[in-house]
C-alpha cells in the first residue's frame, strides 16, 4: 500500500504542515511513503528520511503563467507516475489540489483532506467551486477541533461522518516541572510579517517597563529576516535569535511567557509546544482552534484582535503576580495532555 502526501513545500523545511507530514511519515504503519512537493521554501533544516521517496514536481526555467500551468501539468503527471490510484492513501493539505487529481485516481484512492488554516483562509471562492465539484470523492476531512467540525458541517452537511477531529500532536515531550516567574518573553514563528505581525509584537513590547526582554526565534526568507532585524534593532530589549536549535524544550525552558501576535493561524503548533514546557501564552484571539489550546484566564490570555494595550497589560499581570503566574504554568502542563502524541497517533491510524 502507498501513502502519498502532496504539499507545496518539502517536509525537510520549517512549517506546521511540513511538521505534520514528518509526523505522518513517522507513524508505525506498513505503507510505502511518497512525498510530492515543488519547493524547498527558504532552506532545508531537517534530514531526508531514507524511507521516503521525495518527488519534486517543480518546473525549471519558466516564469509567469507558463510556469504555473506547467507546474500543475507536472503535478498530474507525477501523481500518475507513482501509480497513486491503485488503492493508495493520498493526503492533501489544500482543497485546490483536488483539481489536479485525475478522476480515475480520485475514484480508486482514499483521499484525505487536512485542515491547515482557518476556514475563511482555507476555502477561498475558487476552492469552494472545487469542493462543489469533487468533494464526493473525499473519504475524510481532518479538522483541528470540535468547533471546526461544527463549522465545516454547516458549510458542507453532506460530508457528515467523513469529518474527523484530529488535533496536531505536540512533537516534544512535556516538561515535568513548572516554569519560574520572570520577565523573559519569547516567540517562535516563521518569519513572515504579513501573517505573524511582528510590528504589533514590537509595539506591545515597547509599552512594557524596563527589565523585560523578548527573544524572537524563527526562519524565513532573507528579505523577511533583514526587515525584522531592522525593526528589532530599534527596540531595546528585543533580540532576533534565528532558527531554533534541535533542542526546542531546552530553549523554551529559558523563558516565562510565550507571545503570538499573528493576524491568522490554522492551529498554532508553536503554542502547544510552548504549553508543553509550562509556558503561559498571551495571544490575539483570531482563529477558531485557539480556544482549544488557550483557555482564557486558565493557561494564558486570549486578547481581542489587535488590542495592543490589553495585550501588554496581560503580560504585566502575568509577570508581576507570582500567584497568577504559578497557577497558569501548572495549568499549561495540565492542558498539554490534550495533544499527547500517543493519542494523536491512534486517531491518525484509525483513518489510514
Amino acid at each position: 500500500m502507498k501513502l502519498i502526501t502532496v504539499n507545496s513545500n518539502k517536509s525537510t523545511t520549517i512549517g506546521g504542515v511540513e511538521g505534520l507530514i514528518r509526523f505522518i511519515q513517522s507513524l508505525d504503519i506498513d505503507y510505502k511513503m511518497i512525498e510530492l512537493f515543488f519547493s524547498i521554501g527558504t532552506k532545508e533544516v531537517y534530514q531526508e528520511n531514507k524511507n521516503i521517496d521525495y518527488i519534486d514536481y517543480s518546473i525549471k526555467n519558466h516564469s509567469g503563467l507558463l510556469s504555473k500551468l506547467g507546474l500543475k501539468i507536472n503535478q498530474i503527471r507525477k501523481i500518475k507516475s507513482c501509480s497513486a490510484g491503485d488503492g493508495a492513501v493520498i493526503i492533501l493539505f489544500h482543497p485546490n489540489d483536488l483539481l489536479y487529481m485525475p478522476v480515475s485516481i480520485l475514484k480508486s484512492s482514499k483521499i484525505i483532506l487536512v485542515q491547515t488554516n482557518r476556514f475563511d483562509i482555507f476555502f477561498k471562492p475558487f476552492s469552494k467551486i472545487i469542493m462543489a465539484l469533487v468533494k464526493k470523492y473525499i473519504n475524510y476531512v481532518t479538522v483541528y477541533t470540535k468547533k471546526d467540525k461544527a463549522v465545516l458541517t454547516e458549510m458542507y452537511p453532506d460530508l457528515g461522518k467523513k469529518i474527523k477531529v484530529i488535533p496536531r500532536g505536540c512533537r516534544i515531550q512535556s516538561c515535568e516541572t513548572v516554569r519560574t516567574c520572570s520577565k523573559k518573553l519569547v516567540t517562535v514563528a516563521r518569519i513572515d510579517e504579513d501573517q505573524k505581525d511582528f510590528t504589533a509584537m514590537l509595539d506591545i513590547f515597547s509599552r512594557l517597563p524596563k527589565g523585560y526582554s523578548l527573544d524572537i526565534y524563527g526562519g524565513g526568507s532573507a528579505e523577511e529576516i533583514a526587515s525584522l532585524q531592522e525593526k528589532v534593532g530599534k527596540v531595546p530589549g528585543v533580540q532576533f535569535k534565528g532558527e531554533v536549535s534541535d533542542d526546542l524544550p531546552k530553549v523554551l525552558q529559558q523563558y516565562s511567557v510565550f507571545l503570538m501576535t499573528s493576524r491568522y493561524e490554522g492551529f498554532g503548533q508553536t503554542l502547544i509546544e510552548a504549553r508543553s514546557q509550562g509556558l503561559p501564552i498571551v495571544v490575539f484571539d483570531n482563529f477558531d482552534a485557539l480556544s482549544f489550546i488557550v483557555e482564557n484566564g486558565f493557561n494564558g490570555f486570549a486578547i481581542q484582535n489587535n488590542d495592543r494595550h490589553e495585550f501588554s497589560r496581560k503580560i504585566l499581570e502575568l509577570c508581576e503576580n507570582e500567584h497568577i503566574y504559578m497557577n497558569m504554568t501548572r495549568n499549561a502542563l495540565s492542558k498539554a495532555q490534550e495533544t499527547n502524541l500517543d493519542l494523536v497517533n491512534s486517531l491518525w491510524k484509525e483513518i489510514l
Side-chain angles (χ1 to χ4, degrees):
M1 184 79 75
K2 294 179 180 178
L3 189 152
I4 301 166
T5 60
V6 182
N7 185 46
S8 55
N9 286 342
K10 192 176 181 182
S11 67
T12 51
T13 60
I14 291 176
V17 175
E18 292 71 34
L20 176 58
I21 293 172
R22 293 193 303 274
F23 165 75
I24 292 170
Q25 291 170 344
S26 71
L27 292 174
D28 183 21
I29 50 178
D30 188 20
Y31 284 72
K32 175 180 174 57
M33 303 276 190
I34 300 171
E35 178 183 327
L36 272 66
F37 68 96
F38 69 84
S39 170
I40 60 166
T42 56
K43 181 173 148 182
E44 290 189 79
V45 175
Y46 300 93
Q47 296 266 342
E48 285 191 357
N49 185 328
K50 64 181 180 180
N51 298 317
I52 311 301
D53 287 346
Y54 296 91
I55 299 177
D56 181 354
Y57 63 90
S58 61
I59 297 293
K60 313 300 181 186
N61 303 320
H62 291 291
S63 60
L65 183 60
L66 182 62
S67 176
K68 292 180 180 179
L69 179 61
L71 182 70
K72 295 310 175 184
I73 291 173
N74 207 31
Q75 180 177 346
I76 295 169
R77 286 174 178 165
K78 294 296 185 181
I79 284 283
K80 287 181 175 180
S81 71
C82 56
S83 301
D86 188 18
V89 176
I90 303 176
I91 304 179
L92 307 175
F93 303 90
H94 197 288
N96 286 10
D97 283 320
L98 289 163
L99 185 62
Y100 310 109
M101 308 290 293
V103 173
S104 60
I105 289 176
L106 288 171
K107 287 181 176 180
S108 58
S109 303
K110 179 186 285 186
I111 305 296
I112 300 174
L113 178 63
V114 178
Q115 178 190 4
T116 54
N117 219 318
R118 211 172 60 191
F119 284 133
D120 61 324
I121 304 293
F122 193 59
F123 292 115
K124 296 289 190 181
F126 184 57
S127 303
K128 291 180 179 179
I129 294 172
I130 295 171
M131 286 292 289
L133 294 172
V134 299
K135 68 178 184 293
K136 63 183 177 182
Y137 298 114
I138 297 174
N139 295 89
Y140 295 107
V141 181
T142 73
V143 297
Y144 298 128
T145 67
K146 291 179 180 178
K147 185 175 180 180
D148 290 306
K149 180 176 181 177
V151 172
L152 187 60
T153 301
E154 185 174 352
M155 292 174 66
Y156 299 107
D158 51 335
L159 286 176
K161 295 181 180 179
K162 295 180 178 181
I163 304 173
K164 301 295 182 181
V165 177
I166 305 182
R168 295 291 189 265
C170 186
R171 299 186 295 260
I172 58 178
Q173 187 171 358
S174 292
C175 182
E176 295 182 357
T177 57
V178 297
R179 303 271 59 77
T180 55
C181 184
S182 77
K183 299 177 181 180
K184 297 180 68 176
L185 315 175
V186 66
T187 193
V188 181
R190 179 167 45 85
I191 309 305
D192 179 347
E193 174 63 24
D194 285 347
Q195 179 182 358
K196 305 300 182 180
D197 200 0
F198 294 108
T199 298
M201 186 178 293
L202 295 175
D203 178 57
I204 289 163
F205 181 81
S206 69
R207 298 165 187 249
L208 301 174
K210 289 183 179 180
Y212 282 80
S213 67
L214 168 63
D215 288 346
I216 299 173
Y217 291 85
S221 70
E223 293 79 8
E224 288 279 359
I225 289 173
S227 176
L228 177 61
Q229 287 176 319
E230 182 180 358
K231 294 173 184 175
V232 163
K234 298 175 182 178
V235 185
V238 183
Q239 293 188 67
F240 173 63
K241 295 284 196 174
E243 294 174 2
V244 183
S245 68
D246 289 338
D247 196 353
L248 178 59
K250 185 177 180 180
V251 169
L252 290 173
Q253 289 166 23
Q254 299 174 44
Y255 302 94
S256 284
V257 178
F258 190 93
L259 310 183
M260 177 182 277
T261 53
S262 297
R263 293 182 172 93
Y264 61 90
E265 286 288 338
F267 183 73
Q269 184 73 34
T270 57
L271 297 181
I272 64 172
E273 292 167 347
R275 75 179 187 180
S276 80
Q277 303 309 302
L279 271 69
I281 295 161
V282 187
V283 55
F284 282 136
D285 186 3
N286 56 14
F287 60 102
D288 289 339
L290 179 61
S291 59
F292 171 75
I293 301 171
V294 177
E295 187 176 335
N296 191 34
F298 182 74
N299 67 309
F301 294 109
I303 310 300
Q304 184 177 347
N305 199 25
N306 209 36
D307 188 343
R308 300 180 185 185
H309 172 74
E310 182 66 4
F311 201 116
S312 61
R313 195 179 75 80
K314 287 302 185 183
I315 294 173
L316 287 172
E317 184 175 326
L318 259 175
C319 296
E320 304 285 348
N321 188 316
E322 188 167 358
H323 175 70
I324 291 175
Y325 183 86
M326 295 310 296
N327 279 337
M328 286 204 176
T329 183
R330 284 191 288 267
N331 293 340
L333 292 177
S334 174
K335 281 189 72 65
Q337 300 308 309
E338 297 172 351
T339 47
N340 178 278
L341 267 185
D342 289 339
L343 170 63
V344 178
N345 279 347
S346 64
L347 293 173
W348 269 104
K349 287 181 179 180
E350 284 179 13
I351 67 171
L352 291 175

